Amino acid sequence: MTAEPDFESWVTARGPALLRLAFVVSGDAAEAEDLVQEALSRAYPRWRRISAMEHPEAYVRRIILNTHTSWWRRRRRERPVPQLPERGVEASVGDELGLWRASLELPRDQRVALVLRYYEGLEYAEIAALTGVREGSVRSRVSRGLAALRAALAESEMEVHDG
């Protein structure tokens, strides 16, 4: 048996979850597709070794996160903003779109920690291993991210009632 059918069946089964992770981390559908494609193209030549691991998906997730970080660092200095966006979140506390917009305002590290904790359902130790930071740092990022989201959504709720 060759590695290709195993790889293809694994991608068919786990690809949608990887794409969701990439989308939630990047905030952009096209970039999410590019991140997954890049991760899979890096994993394919090593698939025999990766598939023998206890958690091959964790390895591919790590590739996605590392690639996103690398791209983000490279573009951070390259992308001028022609006009500042209007501040504030238009949606109420219960609105998922409002939560999504507020999460995009978080620092990348906090957003990644929140996505992995609450969207992917990973434990703090798993997130620490995946992101390469200590568990205490992960807990701090999650806590600060949640506090920032609560504040942004509370501010948004006040704007909705006052506006």
Side-chain angles (χ1 to χ4, degrees), residues 96-139:
E96 289 181 18
L97 181 59
L99 180 61
W100 172 247
R101 288 181 181 159
S103 71
L104 291 175
E105 297 294 321
L106 293 175
R108 188 193 65 79
D109 291 340
Q110 290 177 10
R111 186 172 67 245
V112 167
L114 287 172
V115 166
L116 293 174
R117 177 73 175 127
Y118 295 106
Y119 189 77
E120 292 291 321
L122 299 180
E123 298 296 324
Y124 290 111
E126 293 173 299
I127 298 168
L130 192 59
T131 58
V133 298
R134 290 182 292 157
E135 189 174 332
S137 296
V138 172
R139 290 179 182 276

Short mmCIF file of all heavy atoms in Angstrom, two decimals, residues 96-139:
data_model
loop_
_atom_site.label_atom_id
_atom_site.label_comp_id
_atom_site.label_asym_id
_atom_site.label_seq_id
_atom_site.Cartn_x
_atom_site.Cartn_y
_atom_site.Cartn_z
N GLU A 96 -23.33 36.27 16.67
CA GLU A 96 -22.06 35.63 16.33
C GLU A 96 -21.18 36.51 15.46
O GLU A 96 -19.97 36.49 15.58
CB GLU A 96 -22.32 34.30 15.63
CG GLU A 96 -22.86 33.24 16.55
CD GLU A 96 -23.10 31.93 15.84
OE1 GLU A 96 -22.55 31.72 14.75
OE2 GLU A 96 -23.83 31.11 16.41
N LEU A 97 -21.79 37.30 14.58
CA LEU A 97 -21.00 38.19 13.72
C LEU A 97 -20.27 39.22 14.58
O LEU A 97 -19.12 39.54 14.33
CB LEU A 97 -21.90 38.87 12.69
CG LEU A 97 -21.21 39.80 11.70
CD1 LEU A 97 -20.14 39.05 10.91
CD2 LEU A 97 -22.24 40.41 10.76
N GLY A 98 -20.94 39.73 15.60
CA GLY A 98 -20.30 40.68 16.50
C GLY A 98 -19.13 40.05 17.24
O GLY A 98 -18.08 40.67 17.40
N LEU A 99 -19.30 38.82 17.67
CA LEU A 99 -18.22 38.11 18.34
C LEU A 99 -17.06 37.89 17.38
O LEU A 99 -15.90 38.07 17.74
CB LEU A 99 -18.73 36.76 18.87
CG LEU A 99 -17.72 35.90 19.59
CD1 LEU A 99 -17.18 36.62 20.83
CD2 LEU A 99 -18.34 34.57 19.98
N TRP A 100 -17.38 37.53 16.15
CA TRP A 100 -16.34 37.32 15.13
C TRP A 100 -15.56 38.61 14.90
O TRP A 100 -14.34 38.62 14.89
CB TRP A 100 -16.98 36.82 13.85
CG TRP A 100 -16.04 36.75 12.71
CD1 TRP A 100 -16.05 37.50 11.58
CD2 TRP A 100 -14.91 35.88 12.57
NE1 TRP A 100 -15.02 37.16 10.76
CE2 TRP A 100 -14.30 36.17 11.34
CE3 TRP A 100 -14.36 34.89 13.37
CZ2 TRP A 100 -13.17 35.50 10.90
CZ3 TRP A 100 -13.23 34.23 12.91
CH2 TRP A 100 -12.66 34.54 11.70
N ARG A 101 -16.26 39.70 14.71
CA ARG A 101 -15.58 40.98 14.46
C ARG A 101 -14.73 41.39 15.65
O ARG A 101 -13.62 41.90 15.48
CB ARG A 101 -16.60 42.06 14.13
CG ARG A 101 -17.21 41.87 12.77
CD ARG A 101 -18.19 42.96 12.46
NE ARG A 101 -18.78 42.74 11.15
CZ ARG A 101 -19.92 43.26 10.76
NH1 ARG A 101 -20.60 44.05 11.56
NH2 ARG A 101 -20.39 43.01 9.55
N ALA A 102 -15.26 41.18 16.84
CA ALA A 102 -14.49 41.53 18.04
C ALA A 102 -13.24 40.66 18.16
O ALA A 102 -12.18 41.13 18.55
CB ALA A 102 -15.37 41.39 19.29
N SER A 103 -13.36 39.39 17.78
CA SER A 103 -12.19 38.51 17.88
C SER A 103 -11.09 38.91 16.91
O SER A 103 -9.92 38.69 17.18
CB SER A 103 -12.59 37.04 17.66
OG SER A 103 -12.93 36.81 16.31
N LEU A 104 -11.47 39.50 15.78
CA LEU A 104 -10.46 39.94 14.81
C LEU A 104 -9.64 41.12 15.34
O LEU A 104 -8.55 41.38 14.83
CB LEU A 104 -11.12 40.30 13.48
CG LEU A 104 -11.68 39.13 12.69
CD1 LEU A 104 -12.40 39.63 11.44
CD2 LEU A 104 -10.60 38.13 12.33
N GLU A 105 -10.16 41.82 16.34
CA GLU A 105 -9.44 42.93 16.94
C GLU A 105 -8.42 42.48 17.98
O GLU A 105 -7.57 43.25 18.40
CB GLU A 105 -10.42 43.91 17.60
CG GLU A 105 -11.40 44.57 16.63
CD GLU A 105 -10.70 45.49 15.64
OE1 GLU A 105 -9.75 46.19 16.05
OE2 GLU A 105 -11.10 45.49 14.47
N LEU A 106 -8.50 41.23 18.40
CA LEU A 106 -7.57 40.71 19.41
C LEU A 106 -6.17 40.56 18.83
O LEU A 106 -6.02 40.32 17.64
CB LEU A 106 -8.03 39.33 19.90
CG LEU A 106 -9.32 39.26 20.68
CD1 LEU A 106 -9.67 37.80 20.96
CD2 LEU A 106 -9.20 40.04 21.99
N PRO A 107 -5.16 40.64 19.68
CA PRO A 107 -3.82 40.29 19.21
C PRO A 107 -3.81 38.84 18.72
O PRO A 107 -4.54 38.00 19.25
CB PRO A 107 -2.95 40.45 20.47
CG PRO A 107 -3.71 41.37 21.35
CD PRO A 107 -5.16 41.12 21.06
N ARG A 108 -2.99 38.56 17.75
CA ARG A 108 -2.97 37.24 17.11
C ARG A 108 -2.80 36.11 18.12
O ARG A 108 -3.49 35.10 18.06
CB ARG A 108 -1.86 37.18 16.07
CG ARG A 108 -1.89 35.93 15.22
CD ARG A 108 -0.60 35.77 14.42
NE ARG A 108 0.55 35.55 15.29
CZ ARG A 108 0.85 34.38 15.85
NH1 ARG A 108 0.11 33.34 15.63
NH2 ARG A 108 1.89 34.28 16.64
N ASP A 109 -1.90 36.26 19.08
CA ASP A 109 -1.64 35.19 20.05
C ASP A 109 -2.88 34.88 20.89
O ASP A 109 -3.16 33.73 21.18
CB ASP A 109 -0.48 35.57 20.96
CG ASP A 109 0.85 35.59 20.24
OD1 ASP A 109 0.95 34.96 19.16
OD2 ASP A 109 1.79 36.22 20.74
N GLN A 110 -3.61 35.92 21.28
CA GLN A 110 -4.83 35.70 22.07
C GLN A 110 -5.91 35.04 21.21
O GLN A 110 -6.59 34.12 21.67
CB GLN A 110 -5.35 37.03 22.63
CG GLN A 110 -4.49 37.60 23.71
CD GLN A 110 -4.96 38.95 24.21
OE1 GLN A 110 -6.06 39.40 23.88
NE2 GLN A 110 -4.14 39.62 25.00
N ARG A 111 -6.05 35.49 19.98
CA ARG A 111 -7.06 34.91 19.09
C ARG A 111 -6.76 33.44 18.82
O ARG A 111 -7.65 32.59 18.89
CB ARG A 111 -7.15 35.69 17.78
CG ARG A 111 -8.28 35.20 16.89
CD ARG A 111 -8.51 36.07 15.67
NE ARG A 111 -7.40 36.01 14.75
CZ ARG A 111 -6.60 37.04 14.45
NH1 ARG A 111 -6.80 38.21 14.99
NH2 ARG A 111 -5.61 36.90 13.61
N VAL A 112 -5.50 33.10 18.57
CA VAL A 112 -5.11 31.71 18.33
C VAL A 112 -5.42 30.86 19.57
O VAL A 112 -5.98 29.77 19.46
CB VAL A 112 -3.62 31.60 17.94
CG1 VAL A 112 -3.13 30.17 18.00
CG2 VAL A 112 -3.41 32.18 16.54
N ALA A 113 -5.07 31.35 20.75
CA ALA A 113 -5.32 30.60 21.99
C ALA A 113 -6.82 30.38 22.19
O ALA A 113 -7.25 29.27 22.55
CB ALA A 113 -4.72 31.34 23.18
N LEU A 114 -7.63 31.39 21.94
CA LEU A 114 -9.08 31.25 22.10
C LEU A 114 -9.66 30.27 21.08
O LEU A 114 -10.52 29.46 21.41
CB LEU A 114 -9.78 32.61 21.98
CG LEU A 114 -9.60 33.54 23.17
CD1 LEU A 114 -10.17 34.91 22.85
CD2 LEU A 114 -10.26 32.96 24.41
N VAL A 115 -9.20 30.36 19.85
CA VAL A 115 -9.69 29.45 18.80
C VAL A 115 -9.36 28.01 19.16
O VAL A 115 -10.21 27.12 19.09
CB VAL A 115 -9.08 29.82 17.43
CG1 VAL A 115 -9.29 28.70 16.42
CG2 VAL A 115 -9.69 31.11 16.91
N LEU A 116 -8.12 27.77 19.56
CA LEU A 116 -7.72 26.41 19.89
C LEU A 116 -8.44 25.89 21.14
O LEU A 116 -8.80 24.72 21.21
CB LEU A 116 -6.21 26.32 20.07
CG LEU A 116 -5.39 26.55 18.79
CD1 LEU A 116 -3.90 26.58 19.11
CD2 LEU A 116 -5.70 25.51 17.74
N ARG A 117 -8.69 26.77 22.10
CA ARG A 117 -9.34 26.35 23.34
C ARG A 117 -10.83 26.11 23.15
O ARG A 117 -11.36 25.08 23.54
CB ARG A 117 -9.10 27.41 24.43
CG ARG A 117 -9.78 27.11 25.74
CD ARG A 117 -9.08 25.98 26.48
NE ARG A 117 -9.69 25.79 27.78
CZ ARG A 117 -10.14 24.63 28.19
NH1 ARG A 117 -10.02 23.55 27.46
NH2 ARG A 117 -10.69 24.53 29.37
N TYR A 118 -11.53 27.08 22.57
CA TYR A 118 -12.99 27.01 22.54
C TYR A 118 -13.56 26.51 21.22
O TYR A 118 -14.62 25.90 21.20
CB TYR A 118 -13.59 28.36 22.92
CG TYR A 118 -13.25 28.72 24.33
CD1 TYR A 118 -12.31 29.69 24.62
CD2 TYR A 118 -13.83 28.04 25.40
CE1 TYR A 118 -11.97 30.01 25.93
CE2 TYR A 118 -13.49 28.33 26.70
CZ TYR A 118 -12.57 29.32 26.96
OH TYR A 118 -12.22 29.61 28.25
N TYR A 119 -12.90 26.76 20.13
CA TYR A 119 -13.40 26.30 18.84
C TYR A 119 -12.92 24.88 18.55
O TYR A 119 -13.69 24.03 18.13
CB TYR A 119 -12.95 27.26 17.73
CG TYR A 119 -13.60 26.98 16.40
CD1 TYR A 119 -14.92 27.36 16.16
CD2 TYR A 119 -12.91 26.32 15.39
CE1 TYR A 119 -15.52 27.09 14.96
CE2 TYR A 119 -13.52 26.05 14.19
CZ TYR A 119 -14.82 26.44 13.97
OH TYR A 119 -15.42 26.17 12.77
N GLU A 120 -11.63 24.62 18.81
CA GLU A 120 -11.08 23.29 18.57
C GLU A 120 -11.23 22.38 19.79
O GLU A 120 -11.05 21.18 19.69
CB GLU A 120 -9.61 23.38 18.18
CG GLU A 120 -9.38 24.01 16.82
CD GLU A 120 -9.87 23.13 15.68
OE1 GLU A 120 -9.70 21.89 15.75
OE2 GLU A 120 -10.41 23.68 14.71
N GLY A 121 -11.53 22.95 20.96
CA GLY A 121 -11.75 22.15 22.17
C GLY A 121 -10.50 21.52 22.76
O GLY A 121 -10.58 20.50 23.43
N LEU A 122 -9.34 22.15 22.53
CA LEU A 122 -8.09 21.60 23.05
C LEU A 122 -7.88 22.02 24.50
O LEU A 122 -8.35 23.07 24.93
CB LEU A 122 -6.91 22.06 22.20
CG LEU A 122 -6.93 21.67 20.73
CD1 LEU A 122 -5.69 22.21 20.03
CD2 LEU A 122 -7.02 20.16 20.56
N GLU A 123 -7.16 21.19 25.22
CA GLU A 123 -6.79 21.50 26.60
C GLU A 123 -5.60 22.47 26.59
O GLU A 123 -4.89 22.58 25.59
CB GLU A 123 -6.42 20.22 27.35
CG GLU A 123 -7.56 19.23 27.47
CD GLU A 123 -8.74 19.77 28.28
OE1 GLU A 123 -8.49 20.51 29.26
OE2 GLU A 123 -9.88 19.47 27.91
N TYR A 124 -5.38 23.13 27.71
CA TYR A 124 -4.29 24.10 27.80
C TYR A 124 -2.93 23.47 27.46
O TYR A 124 -2.11 24.06 26.77
CB TYR A 124 -4.24 24.74 29.18
CG TYR A 124 -5.40 25.66 29.46
CD1 TYR A 124 -6.37 25.32 30.39
CD2 TYR A 124 -5.53 26.86 28.79
CE1 TYR A 124 -7.44 26.17 30.65
CE2 TYR A 124 -6.59 27.71 29.03
CZ TYR A 124 -7.56 27.35 29.96
OH TYR A 124 -8.61 28.19 30.20
N ALA A 125 -2.70 22.26 27.96
CA ALA A 125 -1.42 21.59 27.70
C ALA A 125 -1.25 21.31 26.21
O ALA A 125 -0.15 21.45 25.66
CB ALA A 125 -1.32 20.30 28.50
N GLU A 126 -2.33 20.92 25.54
CA GLU A 126 -2.26 20.65 24.10
C GLU A 126 -1.96 21.94 23.32
O GLU A 126 -1.18 21.93 22.37
CB GLU A 126 -3.58 20.06 23.60
CG GLU A 126 -3.89 18.68 24.14
CD GLU A 126 -5.27 18.21 23.74
OE1 GLU A 126 -6.25 18.87 24.13
OE2 GLU A 126 -5.36 17.19 23.03
N ILE A 127 -2.58 23.03 23.75
CA ILE A 127 -2.36 24.31 23.08
C ILE A 127 -0.91 24.75 23.29
O ILE A 127 -0.25 25.23 22.36
CB ILE A 127 -3.34 25.39 23.61
CG1 ILE A 127 -4.77 24.99 23.29
CG2 ILE A 127 -3.02 26.75 23.00
CD1 ILE A 127 -5.82 25.82 24.01
N ALA A 128 -0.42 24.55 24.50
CA ALA A 128 0.97 24.91 24.80
C ALA A 128 1.93 24.13 23.90
O ALA A 128 2.86 24.70 23.32
CB ALA A 128 1.29 24.65 26.27
N ALA A 129 1.68 22.86 23.75
CA ALA A 129 2.55 22.04 22.90
C ALA A 129 2.44 22.45 21.44
O ALA A 129 3.44 22.50 20.72
CB ALA A 129 2.18 20.56 23.06
N LEU A 130 1.24 22.78 21.02
CA LEU A 130 1.01 23.14 19.62
C LEU A 130 1.61 24.49 19.27
O LEU A 130 2.15 24.67 18.19
CB LEU A 130 -0.50 23.14 19.35
CG LEU A 130 -0.98 23.21 17.93
CD1 LEU A 130 -0.46 22.03 17.12
CD2 LEU A 130 -2.50 23.23 17.90
N THR A 131 1.54 25.44 20.19
CA THR A 131 2.03 26.79 19.90
C THR A 131 3.45 27.04 20.38
O THR A 131 4.03 28.08 20.06
CB THR A 131 1.10 27.85 20.54
OG1 THR A 131 1.03 27.62 21.95
CG2 THR A 131 -0.29 27.82 19.92
N GLY A 132 4.00 26.12 21.16
CA GLY A 132 5.38 26.25 21.60
C GLY A 132 5.59 27.23 22.74
O GLY A 132 6.67 27.79 22.88
N VAL A 133 4.55 27.45 23.55
CA VAL A 133 4.69 28.32 24.71
C VAL A 133 4.30 27.53 25.96
O VAL A 133 3.72 26.46 25.87
CB VAL A 133 3.82 29.60 24.60
CG1 VAL A 133 4.25 30.43 23.41
CG2 VAL A 133 2.36 29.27 24.52
N ARG A 134 4.61 28.08 27.12
CA ARG A 134 4.27 27.40 28.37
C ARG A 134 2.76 27.43 28.60
O ARG A 134 2.06 28.33 28.15
CB ARG A 134 5.00 28.05 29.53
CG ARG A 134 6.50 27.76 29.49
CD ARG A 134 7.22 28.35 30.66
NE ARG A 134 7.16 29.81 30.52
CZ ARG A 134 7.28 30.67 31.49
NH1 ARG A 134 7.48 30.26 32.72
NH2 ARG A 134 7.21 31.97 31.27
N GLU A 135 2.29 26.46 29.36
CA GLU A 135 0.87 26.35 29.66
C GLU A 135 0.35 27.60 30.37
O GLU A 135 -0.75 28.08 30.11
CB GLU A 135 0.59 25.11 30.50
CG GLU A 135 -0.88 24.82 30.67
CD GLU A 135 -1.15 23.51 31.38
OE1 GLU A 135 -0.32 22.58 31.29
OE2 GLU A 135 -2.21 23.43 32.02
N GLY A 136 1.17 28.16 31.26
CA GLY A 136 0.77 29.38 31.95
C GLY A 136 0.56 30.54 30.99
O GLY A 136 -0.35 31.36 31.17
N SER A 137 1.38 30.61 29.96
CA SER A 137 1.22 31.66 28.94
C SER A 137 -0.07 31.46 28.16
O SER A 137 -0.76 32.42 27.83
CB SER A 137 2.40 31.66 27.98
OG SER A 137 3.59 31.98 28.66
N VAL A 138 -0.40 30.22 27.88
CA VAL A 138 -1.65 29.92 27.17
C VAL A 138 -2.84 30.36 28.03
O VAL A 138 -3.76 31.03 27.54
CB VAL A 138 -1.77 28.42 26.83
CG1 VAL A 138 -3.14 28.11 26.27
CG2 VAL A 138 -0.69 28.02 25.84
N ARG A 139 -2.81 30.02 29.31
CA ARG A 139 -3.90 30.41 30.21
C ARG A 139 -4.04 31.94 30.27
O ARG A 139 -5.14 32.47 30.27
CB ARG A 139 -3.66 29.85 31.61
CG ARG A 139 -3.83 28.35 31.68
CD ARG A 139 -3.56 27.82 33.10
NE ARG A 139 -3.67 26.40 33.16
CZ ARG A 139 -4.80 25.73 33.31
NH1 ARG A 139 -5.93 26.39 33.43
NH2 ARG A 139 -4.81 24.41 33.35
#
